[in-house]
Amino acid sequence: MTSNVTRRAAIGLGAAAAALAATGRPAAAEGRAPAVPAPGIRNRSRAEVIRQTYLQQKAAAGGVWHSHIAMVDGSGALATVVADDADRVTHGYSVQKLAVAVAVMDKIDRGQLQLDQRLDLTADIILGGSGIYFLQTVWGDQVTVANFLTAMLLVSDNTAVRMCGRVVPALEINDILAAKGFTHTRVEPVANPNRFYLGVTTPRETHDLLWRLANKTIVSPRSADFLLGILRWINGYHDGIRHTMSSAERSRVATKYGADYDDLGAARHEAGIMFDPAGAPTLTYALFADSLGDLDNYGSTHPAVRAHAVLGRTMFDAICTTTNRTARARHHVPPFRPVNGG
C-alpha cells in the first residue's frame, strides 16, 4: 500500500485510481510460524485460558488493543471473559461494514427496500483496496442488494459500501443505529449524502451488535439468517480467527475483519461470533488493535493477525464441548458440503 492513500480515505472520497494504487505493494513481512499458548495455562478454566492467551498474544503482537470477549458459561449465562478498554471509541474500519449491513437489512425489514432490488454498477462508483468488483475492469452490471451485501461481508468489497450508501444514506444509517440503542457506532458523513467514511464503534457495542444478530433480535430472523449465512461461509476471511480451523469448524464462526493504517500505525481488527455444536451462539469476540507496525502487510504473517489465529483456535477449543442449551432449539448449523462445478 502506498504511504498516502488509506483504505478509509478510498471508501469515503477517493477515486478508483487512487484506491487501486493503494494495493500495489507486496506484503513486507517474512512468513513466521504462528505462536501457541504456553503449556502452563492449559489446566486452567476455559475462560482463564482465553484470558491468558489474549494477554500473551497482545504482548507478542504489540500495539494498543481494545477488546471484548464474552462466552456462555456452565449455567447458560453470557459472561464477560475479556474487557480490555472495551468502551474505547475507535475506527472500526471494515468491521464497521457489519453495522452498515444491519442498517440496510433494517430498511428491508420495514418494507422500504428489497433484497432483489437492482442497481447499476457503473465505472464511476468502483473502488479498489479490497473486494471483487474492481477486478472486472469493465462495468455496466445490474446487481441486486443481496449481491452487493454478500460482496461487502464475504470479501469486504469497498465498492459495495458505496452501493449501500445509494440505498441507505449516511444520516439514515446513523439514525437506524441510534434507534437500535448504539451510542457510538456511527458512519462518518461526507459532502455527498450517499457516501461516507466507515466511522467509529467500541468493542462493547460491536459485541452487542453481534450477540443480538446471532440471537435474531437486532433485525428480523430472516434478515439475521441472511447476514449470518454470509459471515459463516467457508469462502470468507481465513487469515485470522479461522486460520487453523477445518472447513466444518470455520462454518461455525461468523467473522468480519478490518485493516488499515493512520498516523499512529497499522490497525488490524476482527470481530465475530462462534456457535456451539448444536448451532447456538456461544462466544463473541471484538478485537481492535492499532498503533501497530508492518503497515503494508495485510496477510496472515502480520503479528496481530497471527495473534488472532492463536486466539481463534483457543476460543474455539473452549466451546467445543460447551452447549448453550437455552438457545439450542432456535438454531441449526447446516453441514458444509462442497459441490463440484460442471
Side-chain angles (χ1 to χ4, degrees):
M1 183 174 258
T2 58
S3 61
N4 61 347
V5 181
T6 68
R7 294 184 177 193
R8 174 178 181 268
I11 290 174
L13 293 172
L20 288 168
T23 62
R25 290 171 59 185
E30 296 296 327
R32 289 166 286 190
V36 296
I41 69 173
R42 289 175 181 167
N43 294 326
R44 302 184 184 182
S45 71
R46 290 190 295 267
E48 185 61 21
V49 168
I50 293 171
R51 278 192 290 270
Q52 291 302 313
T53 302
Y54 170 80
L55 292 173
Q56 291 172 353
Q57 294 305 311
K58 171 186 172 181
V64 179
W65 289 56
H66 328 286
S67 304
H68 189 285
I69 301 172
M71 182 172 64
V72 173
D73 63 19
S75 69
L78 185 67
T80 299
V81 176
V82 171
D84 181 7
D85 201 18
D87 295 308
R88 172 65 62 92
V89 178
T90 187
H91 286 290
Y93 297 121
S94 286
V95 169
Q96 204 80 338
K97 292 170 183 174
L98 291 169
V100 174
V102 164
V104 174
M105 297 310 296
D106 179 86
K107 194 165 183 176
I108 289 171
D109 287 343
R110 288 183 282 113
Q112 297 181 5
L113 186 65
Q114 295 182 339
L115 276 176
D116 61 0
Q117 183 172 326
R118 294 178 182 273
L119 282 76
D120 55 332
L121 186 67
T122 55
D124 63 312
I125 203 170
I126 299 298
L127 283 176
S130 63
I132 54 174
Y133 292 130
F134 75 94
L135 295 170
Q136 294 180 193
T137 71
V138 294
W139 300 278
D141 316 51
Q142 291 284 319
V143 298
T144 62
V145 174
N147 182 303
F148 60 73
L149 282 175
T150 301
M152 183 174 73
L153 294 180
L154 191 67
V155 294
S156 205
D157 194 285
N158 288 333
T159 298
V161 176
R162 285 185 167 182
M163 297 293 279
C164 288
R166 291 172 64 186
V167 295
V168 190
L171 293 180
E172 186 177 359
I173 290 174
N174 285 341
D175 287 344
I176 291 170
L177 294 172
K180 292 185 179 298
F182 296 106
T183 302
H184 302 292
T185 304
R186 299 286 189 272
V187 297
E188 182 182 337
V190 295
N192 184 333
N194 297 109
R195 295 187 184 177
F196 49 84
Y197 294 127
L198 284 169
V200 297
T201 187
T202 72
R204 198 181 305 276
E205 287 197 356
T206 300
H207 150 78
D208 183 48
L209 183 152
L210 289 163
W211 187 247
R212 291 164 64 187
L213 179 64
N215 283 281
K216 305 178 184 180
T217 59
I218 197 168
V219 289
S220 70
R222 183 177 180 180
S223 292
D225 285 339
F226 173 73
L227 296 181
L228 290 168
I230 300 167
L231 294 165
R232 293 173 63 173
W233 189 237
I234 55 90
N235 293 120
Y237 180 69
H238 295 156
D239 282 348
I241 292 293
R242 305 201 295 183
H243 188 65
T244 58
M245 296 183 187
S246 69
S247 296
E249 290 172 333
R250 287 171 175 172
S251 72
R252 285 173 47 194
V253 182
T255 199
K256 185 71 192 75
Y257 79 100
D260 208 329
Y261 66 88
D262 58 19
D263 292 341
L264 297 176
R268 298 293 181 267
H269 305 334
E270 192 167 356
I273 188 158
M274 296 182 175
F275 294 80
D276 74 9
T282 304
L283 183 148
T284 65
Y285 54 91
L287 309 171
F288 295 84
D290 55 45
S291 305
L292 297 159
D294 223 356
L295 268 63
D296 292 324
N297 180 8
Y298 292 93
S300 63
T301 61
H302 190 284
V305 178
R306 288 180 14 248
H308 293 168
V310 175
L311 271 166
R313 186 72 254 176
T314 301
M315 293 187 296
F316 192 86
D317 288 345
I319 68 164
C320 275
T321 57
T322 300
T323 299
N324 182 358
R325 294 177 176 82
T326 61
R328 179 190 295 184
R330 294 188 282 115
H331 299 270
H332 171 66
V333 181
F336 166 69
R337 294 189 180 94
V339 177
N340 293 327

